[in-house]
Amino acid sequence: MKKITSALLVAALSLSTLAQASTAFVPPVPEIAGKAYFLMDYQSGQIIAARDPDMRVEPASLTKLMTAYLTFKALKEKRLTLEQTLTVSQVGWKQEGSRMFLDPKVPVTVDNLIKGMIVQSGNDACVTLAEAIAGSEEVFAQMMTAEAKRLGMKASNFKNSTGLPDPEHFTSVRDLATLSAAIIHDFPQYYPTYSIKSFTYNNITQPNRNLLLYRDPNVDGMKTGHTEGAGYNLIASSRRDGRRVLSVVVGTASPEARAVESSKLLNYGLQFFETPKLYTAGQTVSTLPVYKGAASTLAIGFDRDVHITVSKGATSRLKAEMKTLQPVIAPIKQGQEVGKLTVSLDGKVLLERPVQALKAVEEGGFFSRLWDSLKLWLGW
């Protein structure tokens, strides 16, 4: 890897425009009364605060986030439709715990099943969807674990679609945050379901158990969970001033406690941190010389927006460095990795991101390739 001076200069200039006038006080993370917690910025993906992020925990009904993810995926792939009707099986109908009170004699739309699963936390809805997608809940659980691995959830294993206790059914707060962010990013059209405060089915109205939906107008999701072994769990998402933060709190003592502790984390992340956008997707950060190509230069940048989360007032101290592969020889594919951006604060690396070719560069003609070969050999 060879440093390119012009790329370093461009990065420094881009960051300098984000300088803040003063440095704000950042208190320590508040005390959280739970077994484990995780707080992340959605846009940057950075951890703001965490305790025992990889400890094995019982997710309880937070499991239903993965059931929902696979349901949304089936809708995207047209293996299900929202208008499609399903009938609850005897297995689904006899599920323990929270239910949306399905009637085996009455077909129900997938749309209503999704609301029953998310708002009412219906175990009968989960099993009905699982059986429709995979044929059986057992096979669906295998799909859940496989999907978790694909998403990078390294500490998760699923044995059912509902979250009912099983010694081999577990996850971590880090994995739950990863899954929550994936739902918001991959299925934004379905995410608003998590903000519905109540849902009526079979003449029975049940409220959403996420108390923060009623108390904080910035909170728009996501899911509660509870079993005797797990305690009271809550994943919450809050959006304020263009930012979104996600909190995961597990093992609290009551529904009130999980709401209060989650609120502490969300407010801490929103009040004392900021997430500036460093670069826009598709923006030319720099250009590199190209050898043996139909074009002599290559525009480089990023395929998605680049955000970074820092304490308020610290943006002016960020330093960016870009290293690129040299020499760059055609052909180059669009999106091909050609370098790496590193952003640090006071000597600590906060972000590393691949730098990519924004456009393809095809191989040049015979004589241009020959001439560039000579230049490379001579070191020109």
Side-chain angles (χ1 to χ4, degrees):
M1 303 279 275
K2 176 182 176 183
K3 293 184 182 179
I4 302 299
T5 304
S6 61
L8 286 170
L9 177 60
V10 170
L13 288 173
S14 297
L15 296 184
S16 68
T17 62
L18 299 169
Q20 301 294 314
S22 61
T23 300
F25 168 69
V26 180
V29 181
E31 288 292 325
I32 302 299
K35 291 179 182 177
Y37 66 79
F38 197 87
L39 176 67
M40 69 176 284
D41 184 279
Y42 168 74
Q43 288 166 301
S44 70
Q46 289 174 242
I47 304 169
I48 300 173
R51 185 174 74 217
D52 293 325
D54 300 307
M55 180 177 71
R56 182 179 291 189
V57 299
E58 182 184 337
S61 284
L62 301 184
T63 298
K64 291 167 179 137
L65 290 174
M66 181 57 82
T67 305
Y69 190 93
L70 286 176
T71 300
F72 299 152
K73 188 174 183 179
L75 288 168
K76 180 180 180 180
E77 296 173 353
K78 302 189 185 306
R79 291 181 285 117
L80 286 179
T81 66
L82 291 174
E83 301 76 21
Q84 182 177 346
T85 58
L86 304 174
T87 301
V88 63
S89 67
Q90 288 295 310
V91 173
W93 183 56
K94 293 180 178 179
Q95 283 293 298
E96 302 174 4
S98 55
R99 293 180 292 161
M100 67 179 290
F101 297 101
L102 294 173
D103 185 338
K105 301 176 183 177
V106 180
V108 57
T109 64
V110 169
D111 186 44
N112 279 338
L113 285 168
I114 291 171
K115 293 184 176 74
M117 170 178 59
I118 292 173
V119 183
Q120 300 177 331
S121 201
N123 291 342
D124 47 359
C126 292
V127 173
T128 302
L129 288 167
E131 291 176 343
I133 293 169
S136 71
E137 189 181 20
E138 181 181 2
V139 174
F140 187 80
Q142 295 170 10
M143 292 175 61
M144 295 169 76
T145 300
E147 193 69 20
K149 290 180 179 177
R150 188 190 70 81
L151 292 171
M153 299 167 62
K154 299 178 181 179
S156 297
N157 190 69
F158 297 98
K159 299 300 288 185
N160 59 63
S161 64
T162 60
L164 289 174
D166 185 294
E168 294 303 313
H169 188 92
F170 52 81
T171 186
S172 69
V173 290
R174 186 196 301 273
D175 280 3
L176 289 168
T178 297
L179 175 57
S180 302
I183 288 175
I184 297 171
H185 179 270
D186 296 347
F187 303 108
Q189 68 273 41
Y190 301 122
Y191 177 66
T193 308
Y194 288 94
S195 65
I196 296 175
K197 294 179 180 177
S198 67
F199 178 60
T200 301
Y201 182 79
N202 200 13
N203 295 317
I204 301 170
T205 300
Q206 297 186 63
N208 194 314
R209 297 172 177 85
N210 182 358
L211 298 179
L212 294 183
L213 291 175
Y214 309 92
R215 301 177 180 179
D216 186 342
N218 297 306
V219 172
D220 58 5
M222 289 191 63
K223 189 73 186 73
T224 62
H226 169 254
T227 64
E228 184 175 347
Y232 290 86
N233 303 341
L234 174 60
I235 297 175
S237 178
S238 182
R239 188 170 187 178
R240 186 192 303 172
D241 298 329
R243 286 184 63 210
R244 181 183 293 281
V245 295
L246 284 162
S247 67
V248 182
V249 178
V250 300
T252 68
S254 68
E256 178 65 21
R258 69 185 172 192
V260 170
E261 303 308 299
S262 297
S263 185
K264 285 182 191 178
L265 280 178
L266 294 173
N267 288 328
Y268 177 76
L270 290 166
Q271 184 173 353
F272 296 106
F273 295 84
E274 59 190 356
T275 302
K277 182 166 70 172
L278 305 185
Y279 303 105
T280 300
Q283 170 191 350
T284 298
V285 175
S286 187
T287 56
L288 301 178
V290 177
Y291 295 92
K292 301 185 181 182
S296 61
T297 59
L298 173 69
I300 62 173
F302 306 95
D303 61 355
R304 55 192 174 100
D305 293 346
V306 179
H307 293 84
I308 192 166
T309 300
V310 293
S311 58
K312 285 189 175 179
T315 304
S316 60
R317 306 201 307 276
L318 290 172
K319 296 186 182 300
E321 180 178 88
M322 190 178 297
K323 296 181 180 180
T324 57
L325 292 168
Q326 290 294 301
V328 178
I329 300 174
I332 304 294
K333 297 179 181 179
Q334 183 176 356
Q336 182 175 327
E337 184 176 337
V338 293
K340 182 175 71 173
L341 170 74
T342 301
V343 183
S344 59
L345 175 66
D346 301 333
K348 179 182 179 181
V349 174
L350 298 182
L351 178 148
E352 291 184 329
R353 184 67 60 82
V355 182
Q356 295 150 319
L358 296 180
K359 291 184 178 180
V361 177
E362 300 298 330
E363 194 174 55
F366 173 77
F367 289 106
S368 67
R369 297 199 311 273
L370 184 63
W371 176 244
D372 282 351
S373 295
L374 179 62
K375 289 196 294 183
L376 287 168
W377 183 69
L378 294 173
W380 290 0

